[in-house]
Amino acid sequence: MTAAQQTIHVGGEWRAALSGATREIIDPVDATPFEVVAEGGVADTDDAVAAARAAFDFGAWPRTPAAERAALLRRVAVLLERDRERIGALESRDAGKTLQEGRVDVDCVRDAFRYFADLVENEDGGGRAVDAGSDEIRSVVVHEPVGVCALITPWNYPLLQASWKIAPALAAGNTFVIKPSEITPLTTVVLVELLLEAGLPLGAANIVTGPGDTVGARLAEHPQVDLVSFTGGLVSGTKVARSAADSVKKVALELGGKNPNVVFADACSTPEGFDTAVDQALNAAFIHSGQVCSAGSRLIIEEPLRDRFVAELSRRAELIRLGRGTDAGVECGPLVSAAQLARTEAYVASALAEGAALRAGGGRPAGPGYFFRPTVLDRCHRGMRVVREEVFGPVLTVETFRTEEEAVALANDTEYGLAGAVWTSDEHRARRVAGLLRHGTVWINDFHPYLPQAEWGGFGKSGIGRELGPGGFAEYREAKHIYQNLAPRPVRWFAGTTAKG
Ligand code: NAD
């Protein structure tokens, strides 16, 4: 047994799967295995939950003062800075992103830890006093950790998505079991190592590497788990919600998106405006090969601008340099797996069969790995699967509108509601449209940035609850109202039951 296969951490001990099963981790650039991890199962999951339960019920972490919890989170941030290159490179290899993206991810993870450290430290520890309308009543609302948190994460931003859950969970004083995606578990294992190095009490952080339908499903249904926070696809998310219902645990779901990027012609009335809108549309759709929950995969453009815009966008899409993320000059990596590649190919084939016009890409480049060329599909409409469903690949569809009302209606015509953007030089229109879009994040003349201080999450089938910001922190806490009567006396509701003299 090599150390590499001991990727399950339970109650302070690194170990292999109880069954001895392992899984190869595939480098998506050349489709070859480069690492082996433990393939945990239900028994490993039960052990991990028991450890997290004991650490919550009897351990030090939930009883650690907020300032000390904040200090630990800050130590993790420092360790992330120390190991930035190593972790960034590992994320790049595991998830098939560029090294620069891997580095940025580590920086964002560090910022998440710092943000939640600040949030918990700056809180009034005494709780929120409530005016009960009487000097004889002392009423206060305090916040306590929820308990044992099950954290389930996807493969596209493995470390970042883990941090959006781990940092607030720990800041609030919870213990947790995390199950990273079986496709990209490596940096989450490293993050747990850093938590331990920073001094987190044993048992507070547990990890089980393994598949969703065993480890993930067991976490979601487990009666000893108080909260499940899941980021992933709609199909798995609904299963998680169903499994969690029997034990009435708290559920937070961050699911997919089919995100509109609405471009009005006035945004492109100058050469600079045109260049910026095209550049950002490219970025919106193709960064990380479109494997982004908030990818701007639906370009919704004002009709008279369409031909010029799509021609330039397609020209630039053809120039995107694909390759290994650590190689100089590479701008985009491959898709994460053979399954994801096949899925993308199927969506493009269906779009072409349904009448879409191919303007760029459309297939795989020569050579090994799970690469797919950035693809622009013009003349699309809502009747097409590729416009309604999340592809999670480098595929941009183009729809057009003639009026503002039509633009808003198209942008909201999705079962999802994660993110969307509006491009316009008209400030009034920008506010109007932003106000009407039914999406959890709306960008005006931008695409993709998020802030740790601002809530992230979706309307509709994009999820339940929020991550980041005070709202994201609130998911990991229970509110408790403590009502103290300073002058207790009988209420005499039952008038015939006076005390015996
Ligand atoms: P996925 O749903 O296949 O898997 C996500 C995680 O759930 C994995 O760890 C997987 O093992 C686990 N899982 C699978 N079936 C399960 C089950 N029955 N019970 C419990 N856990 C189960 O998603 P993915 O393919 O890894 O990630 C891509 C999806 O994630 C996309 O839909 C994307 O939009 C979404 N996503 C959303 C956000 C967001 O912030 N809203 C962020 C990143 C990714």
Side-chain angles (χ1 to χ4, degrees), residues 153-155 179 182 212 216 230-233 236 255-256 293 390 392 456:
T153 49
W155 47 259
K179 191 211 89 62
E182 56 273 40
F230 171 91
T231 301
S236 320
L255 307 179
C293 53
E390 188 183 39
F392 231 56
W456 175 267

Side-chain angles (χ1 to χ4, degrees), residues 151-157 161 164-165 179-184 210-220 228 230-241 243 253-259 291-295 336 340 343 390 392 416 418 456-458 462-463 467:
L151 312 176
I152 303 174
T153 49
W155 47 259
N156 61 334
Y157 285 87
Q161 298 301 330
W164 288 12
K165 300 181 191 306
K179 191 211 89 62
S181 166
E182 56 273 40
I183 303 173
T184 57
D213 55 2
T214 52
V215 177
R218 180 63 180 148
L219 283 173
V228 57
F230 171 91
T231 301
L234 181 55
V235 173
S236 320
T238 46
K239 285 185 192 162
V240 165
S243 308
L253 300 176
E254 292 291 335
L255 307 179
K258 193 69 196 176
N259 312 291
Q291 301 168 111
V292 184
C293 53
S294 54
V336 78
Q340 203 55 31
R343 180 185 157 96
E390 188 183 39
F392 231 56
Y416 292 109
L418 188 59
W456 175 267
S462 286
E467 297 200 296

Side-chain angles (χ1 to χ4, degrees), residues 281-294:
L282 206 65
N283 189 48
F286 298 129
I287 195 159
H288 194 18
S289 283
Q291 301 168 111
V292 184
C293 53
S294 54

Side-chain angles (χ1 to χ4, degrees), residues 106-444:
V106 179
D107 294 344
C108 293
V109 170
R110 174 203 61 198
D111 293 347
F113 273 87
R114 291 212 169 119
Y115 169 68
F116 285 107
D118 289 348
L119 198 63
V120 70
E121 195 173 53
N122 293 333
E123 256 189 357
D124 175 8
R128 176 170 56 92
V130 177
D131 182 358
S134 163
D135 291 343
E136 295 181 351
I137 303 300
R138 186 182 293 148
S139 171
V140 65
V141 175
V142 296
H143 291 94
E144 298 183 354
V146 171
V148 173
C149 300
L151 312 176
I152 303 174
T153 49
W155 47 259
N156 61 334
Y157 285 87
L159 194 64
L160 187 65
Q161 298 301 330
S163 75
W164 288 12
K165 300 181 191 306
I166 289 176
L170 290 180
N174 297 285
T175 63
F176 71 82
V177 180
I178 190 162
K179 191 211 89 62
S181 166
E182 56 273 40
I183 303 173
T184 57
L186 300 178
T187 50
T188 310
V189 173
V190 171
L191 183 57
V192 172
E193 288 171 350
L194 294 188
L195 295 175
L196 299 173
E197 186 181 345
L200 187 69
L202 300 183
N206 305 275
I207 177 169
V208 182
T209 49
D213 55 2
T214 52
V215 177
R218 180 63 180 148
L219 283 173
E221 71 174 14
H222 203 298
Q224 295 292 312
V225 168
D226 300 294
L227 170 151
V228 57
S229 177
F230 171 91
T231 301
L234 181 55
V235 173
S236 320
T238 46
K239 285 185 192 162
V240 165
R242 229 175 268 132
S243 308
D246 279 342
S247 52
V248 197
K249 53 176 64 75
K250 292 182 87 178
V251 177
L253 300 176
E254 292 291 335
L255 307 179
K258 193 69 196 176
N259 312 291
N261 186 18
V262 179
V263 182
F264 285 90
D266 62 17
C268 299
S269 54
T270 63
E272 298 75 28
F274 179 76
D275 174 49
T276 301
V278 172
D279 174 76
Q280 292 244 14
L282 206 65
N283 189 48
F286 298 129
I287 195 159
H288 194 18
S289 283
Q291 301 168 111
V292 184
C293 53
S294 54
S297 55
R298 285 179 75 196
L299 176 65
I300 299 177
I301 191 158
E302 199 162 355
E303 173 61 37
L305 182 63
R306 181 241 296 262
D307 288 347
R308 188 162 73 99
F309 197 96
V310 172
E312 179 59 11
L313 184 75
S314 304
R315 188 186 70 79
R316 295 189 196 186
E318 290 285 1
L319 297 176
I320 292 175
R321 286 171 292 203
L322 305 180
R324 179 175 287 286
T326 44
D327 288 352
V330 165
E331 296 169 320
C332 228
L335 297 176
V336 78
S337 64
Q340 203 55 31
L341 176 60
R343 180 185 157 96
T344 304
E345 286 175 322
Y347 271 111
V348 171
S350 85
L352 296 177
E354 288 175 313
L358 184 66
R359 302 284 188 237
R364 308 174 55 176
Y370 307 134
F371 291 94
F372 196 85
R373 288 163 56 211
T375 296
V376 178
L377 296 170
D378 199 0
R379 313 249 164 220
C380 292
H381 57 79
R382 284 282 296 149
M384 297 174 170
R385 273 183 61 213
V386 73
V387 176
R388 292 192 309 271
E389 298 173 14
E390 188 183 39
V391 176
F392 231 56
V395 179
L396 176 68
T397 61
V398 182
E399 299 158 83
T400 58
F401 64 88
R402 291 200 169 275
T403 65
E404 188 178 307
E405 292 70 28
E406 200 186 345
V408 170
L410 277 173
N412 285 339
D413 190 8
T414 167
E415 60 180 350
Y416 292 109
L418 188 59
V422 51
W423 289 83
T424 177
S425 58
D426 179 338
E427 178 63 23
H428 296 293
R429 168 181 277 160
R431 286 169 189 243
R432 252 187 340 260
V433 173
L436 290 170
L437 290 184
R438 300 278 300 160
H439 298 269
T441 295
V442 175
W443 294 288
I444 299 173

